[in-house]
Amino acid sequence: MRPTNSAIPRVVLTSPAVYSVGLSPNRAAELGIDLLTSGYDLAATARAAVRADDRGRVELYADRSRGLLIGAAAAGPYAEEWMSEIALAVRARTPLSLLTDVVHAFPSHGESLEAPLRELAAAVRPGESAR
């Protein structure tokens, strides 16, 4: 693979932390990408209940025609840590269909990635796959 800056994480260390990687929805629109978006509130995770901290949300952005994750944003406790796999997925152009097979530790905020990844994978055009 050629070097690329398409998956350099951006973090604001606030409480909770704010994280983004890859393309934003606005940039995807500028590039004419058929964008799929899916999100999940951290309050729905077991980790939020265990920590008594339900602040946060994750949003994932995918290119419908290629079936690839192209960006993400999150706000939540230590988002810069549990979102690292998303930076790798964007950089490695990992197909959504493969990402849906990842099992996350329980309880963790990483669990918040599973439902939106499945939703994005289901919305990819039938017969399309990563190129």
Side-chain angles (χ1 to χ4, degrees), residues 1 4 6-7 68-69 85-95 130:
M1 282 187 190
T4 179
S6 65
L68 299 175
L69 208 56
E85 72 183 76
I86 298 302
L88 176 61
V90 170
R91 171 63 183 96
R93 297 180 181 100
T94 307

Side-chain angles (χ1 to χ4, degrees), residues 2 5 10-12 14 23 30 32 38 41 45 51 53 55 57 61 74 85-87 89 102 114 116 129-130:
R2 299 182 350 215
N5 63 0
R10 299 170 298 278
V11 179
V12 179
T14 57
L23 298 180
E30 290 171 3
S38 183
D41 290 329
T45 65
R51 290 182 53 108
D53 186 352
R55 299 172 301 160
R57 180 171 175 78
Y61 315 125
E85 72 183 76
I86 298 302
V102 174
E114 294 176 10
S129 61

